[in-house]
Amino acid sequence: MSSRILVVDDDRGFRHGMSAILTDAGHVVLQAGDGPAALRALQDEPYDLMLLDVGLPGMSGLEVLAAVQSLAVPPRVVMITADDTSETLLKAVRGQADRFVTKPFAFGAILDIVADVLRAPPAAALPIQVVSAKPEWVELVAPCSLRVADRIQSYMMRLDADLPEAVRESVGRAFRELLANAVEWGGKLDPTRTVRISYLRARRMLLYRIADPGEGFDIERLTHAAINNLEGDPLQHASVREEKGLRPGGLGLLITRSLVDELIYNEARNEVVFVKYLD
């Protein structure tokens, strides 16, 4: 589907290269070389998406991002930068950017990102409240939408970019499973309800805390979950799920417990903390 895209970058060659590949894909593309030019373009006509470089001269891309949020119909925004520090990433989260892409990258890769952002439903662009944006202490409040959860997942995993791939993979899978459970079961996929996410990075550990708006659950009653299978009967939950007409699955909590070092619920089980120790 053809969309209107604004490409904002002070590197003329890079800007033209991205614009060419997007135009070839059928999009209507306009270019801007700095922040004021980008804001003028947005005031003249609405755009579906803006590809925005962080390191613009004079007015930074993050300042442009902040200004864009005051527009009546702001475009979706993909931040592009060679600066992948946690501070810059968290400022992009606070500015409600949809994605954060680090240079260098192949021009062709941007097509998949653009397509994914543009086909996402309106709920994917719901605002994320940033309570704390310190690299060692991040706290977010977000609507109960799986597409918003996807945005949060992509950002949070970048905070651990310096960790070994195996650690990042296990933490990412655990976080995604628990966040999806909080949004789907605790929040009932109701975007008017919110989930609270905390991330603490210490020298020797990572700690995540997820609190959902639900009433909690009794884990012993989750007969459809593999975590309650009797010893020697690894498929017990599958039979229960089939009887209840549930989709195949039920392995989430069992897998999550194997991926992290500590998994702790509060008494009501509407808040969960997991810890991954760093050797």
Side-chain angles (χ1 to χ4, degrees):
M1 186 187 306
S2 176
S3 298
R4 292 180 54 80
I5 300 176
L6 179 62
V7 177
V8 188
D9 199 298
D10 61 319
D11 183 329
R12 187 173 183 275
F14 184 85
R15 189 172 72 239
H16 281 293
M18 282 222 297
S19 297
I21 196 167
L22 290 166
T23 300
D24 288 344
H27 299 291
V28 177
V29 182
L30 187 72
Q31 302 179 36
D34 57 35
L39 293 178
R40 286 194 298 271
L42 290 167
Q43 289 169 356
D44 290 341
E45 295 182 83
Y47 285 83
D48 302 299
L49 177 68
M50 177 167 58
L51 303 178
L52 177 61
D53 184 37
V54 170
L56 297 174
M59 185 182 194
S60 75
L62 291 169
E63 291 175 307
V64 175
L65 179 64
V68 160
Q69 300 311 311
S70 65
L71 295 175
V73 184
R76 309 289 286 275
V77 181
V78 174
M79 301 300 295
I80 299 174
T81 181
D83 175 9
D84 62 352
T85 61
S86 298
E87 290 82 358
T88 300
L89 171 67
L90 292 169
K91 287 177 181 177
V93 176
R94 180 163 269 157
Q96 307 302 324
D98 282 83
R99 298 292 179 87
F100 187 89
V101 183
T102 305
K103 295 178 180 177
F105 56 85
F107 282 152
I110 204 69
L111 291 178
D112 292 334
I113 295 170
V114 166
D116 189 49
V117 172
L118 289 174
R119 69 170 167 253
L126 290 170
I128 298 168
Q129 180 188 354
V130 180
V131 179
S132 176
K134 296 182 67 178
E136 68 276 14
W137 190 312
V138 177
E139 196 157 351
L140 310 173
V141 177
C144 290
S145 158
L146 287 175
R147 291 307 298 255
V148 174
D150 289 340
R151 281 172 59 198
I152 294 172
Q153 165 85 1
S154 68
Y155 280 124
M156 299 301 284
M157 292 306 98
R158 283 183 173 273
L159 294 175
D160 299 327
D162 60 317
L163 296 177
E165 182 62 30
V167 174
R168 293 181 65 240
E169 175 67 20
S170 61
V171 169
R173 289 180 63 192
F175 177 68
R176 186 68 182 87
E177 178 66 29
L178 294 174
L179 180 57
N181 282 346
V183 167
E184 186 173 8
W185 298 104
K188 307 298 183 185
L189 295 176
D190 179 355
T192 65
R193 308 175 80 186
T194 58
V195 60
R196 193 177 190 99
I197 301 144
S198 302
Y199 162 94
L200 279 72
R201 172 77 181 264
R203 185 173 60 175
R204 295 185 177 177
M205 77 165 192
L206 292 174
L207 183 149
Y208 284 81
R209 174 176 173 265
I210 301 171
D212 69 56
E215 298 178 355
F217 63 92
D218 182 350
I219 198 166
E220 293 182 359
R221 295 184 179 180
L222 297 182
T223 55
H224 59 281
I227 199 168
N228 283 324
N229 284 343
L230 295 175
E231 186 175 351
D233 189 0
L235 298 179
Q236 176 189 357
H237 74 288
S239 299
V240 175
R241 294 181 76 86
E242 185 175 357
E243 290 173 6
K244 292 185 175 182
L246 299 175
R247 60 175 171 77
L251 298 170
L253 290 178
L254 185 65
I255 292 174
T256 300
R257 183 170 284 178
S258 71
L259 292 171
V260 300
D261 296 305
E262 307 267 1
L263 183 65
I264 307 167
Y265 283 92
N266 68 342
E267 185 174 4
R269 292 186 179 272
N270 57 5
E271 296 186 28
V272 62
V273 168
F274 77 82
V275 178
K276 186 73 173 179
Y277 295 113
L278 308 176
D279 298 327

